[in-house]
Amino acid sequence: MKKQLTLVENTVVLLLIMVISINWSWIIFEELKLVVISQEPVNYTAYLIHRSITVPLIVVITINLVKRMATIHRAWLMVVGAVLLQFVFVLLGRFFGISHSVHWNLTYDLIYFAVLQVIAHYFLKYYRHLGRRGVERA
């Protein structure tokens, strides 16, 4: 039986992805002004929820499901499905006027979500390695 992630591992991955997501969106939306965010309070709240809650939670849920998969093909399919789900949320945001592209291609969003998955996977491996190394030293 595949081992699931502990509460601490889930929390650490969630916080890491949340920090990356918030900083990335701040750079892209506020500093470089590549995408314009709606100034309406409801739409801006939807953007904040997507950036701060939805994206990190989807990544953490995907990492948990990938760790349970028996084959690598199913794991890759799970990651691709999560990236596509996040992309659909971006498309919905564009459709409902939450954001508007200025100098931004939607392919960049796909790449960003895929890179988030890779970062979460390798950070989890590194975090587990640190835990094992700490136990070996004690």
Side-chain angles (χ1 to χ4, degrees):
M1 182 172 180
K2 297 284 184 182
K3 184 178 179 191
Q4 59 186 359
L5 299 176
T6 65
L7 179 63
V8 174
E9 290 171 337
N10 280 321
T11 304
V12 168
V13 171
L14 179 76
L15 291 175
L16 172 77
I17 298 302
M18 190 179 299
V19 166
I20 292 171
S21 179
I22 289 171
N23 286 318
W24 172 265
S25 63
W26 177 74
I27 291 169
I28 297 301
F29 297 112
E30 303 297 331
E31 293 298 318
L32 298 177
K33 304 229 185 275
L34 298 174
V35 178
V36 176
I37 302 298
S38 173
Q39 296 301 316
E40 294 179 32
V42 173
N43 286 346
Y44 192 73
T45 303
Y47 157 73
L48 291 176
I49 289 171
H50 174 69
R51 175 194 75 179
S52 304
I53 297 172
T54 309
V55 170
L57 272 178
I58 289 175
V59 171
V60 169
I61 290 169
T62 304
I63 289 293
N64 277 289
L65 292 175
V66 164
K67 294 297 177 189
R68 292 181 181 193
M69 292 295 144
T71 65
I72 192 74
H73 299 313
R74 287 188 180 180
W76 276 105
L77 187 62
M78 187 65 59
V79 170
V80 168
V83 168
L84 290 177
L85 177 66
Q86 290 172 327
F87 185 70
V88 166
F89 286 150
V90 168
L91 290 176
L92 286 173
R94 302 275 164 89
F95 178 76
F96 288 115
I98 295 170
S99 63
H100 173 71
S101 296
V102 177
H103 299 290
W104 190 255
N105 189 340
L106 290 175
T107 308
Y108 300 149
D109 284 322
L110 283 172
I111 294 168
Y112 167 65
F113 294 134
V115 168
L116 273 181
Q117 293 288 338
V118 170
I119 288 172
H121 174 74
Y122 282 108
F123 180 77
L124 182 62
K125 281 180 108 172
Y126 178 71
Y127 182 77
R128 286 181 171 175
H129 173 71
L130 285 178
R132 276 185 257 129
R133 198 173 81 189
V135 170
E136 290 172 0
R137 286 186 183 180

